[in-house]
Amino acid sequence: MSQNRGRVTKMVRLDLSPHQATVFVQAIGQIQRADGCTRDQAWETCLKLVGRLMMGAETKDGALPIVVRVAEAFAARDVEDLPEASDDDLRLCHFRDPK
């Protein structure tokens, strides 16, 4: 956990439904193609988008279709109810095993 402007921030584990997993992966590809960025950069962008949506952010009129689709798949929910991510969860999510 870390302090962020007087608030405690924690990393949580979100177990995706098959629909959410599909939307997330498709969004990564669309972001990568649209921005011309790397897949890792698109993954980070999509992860931030999902986090903001789950914390209650709403899309604006005229939002890109992929943003609307992600918003529909990842509606706001009480993040406090999600389990805290373990070190292994974070390691699996953020690092590749050396080959």
Side-chain angles (χ1 to χ4, degrees):
M1 291 191 189
S2 63
Q3 290 289 335
N4 185 8
R5 295 186 199 153
R7 294 183 349 188
V8 175
T9 303
K10 71 176 184 175
M11 297 291 285
V12 296
R13 188 184 80 234
L14 174 64
D15 298 318
L16 303 181
S17 70
H19 173 69
Q20 289 172 322
T22 298
V23 169
F24 191 84
V25 169
Q26 289 174 348
I28 291 170
Q30 289 183 7
I31 291 168
Q32 182 182 13
R33 285 188 297 280
D35 288 349
C37 60
T38 67
R39 190 154 182 84
D40 286 343
Q41 290 168 325
W43 181 86
E44 287 181 14
T45 300
C46 194
L47 189 64
K48 288 177 185 177
L49 173 62
V50 168
R52 289 179 182 150
L53 291 166
M54 289 185 62
M55 294 296 292
E58 296 181 8
T59 58
K60 292 183 175 181
D61 289 339
L64 297 173
I66 189 59
V67 173
V68 173
R69 186 158 185 243
V70 171
E72 290 170 350
F74 294 93
R77 56 189 293 191
D78 190 357
V79 178
E80 294 297 321
D81 292 339
L82 295 174
E84 188 169 350
S86 69
D87 288 342
D88 287 338
D89 292 331
L90 295 174
R91 196 174 299 108
L92 287 171
C93 218
H94 292 285
F95 301 99
R96 294 188 180 139
D97 289 331
K99 300 278 178 184

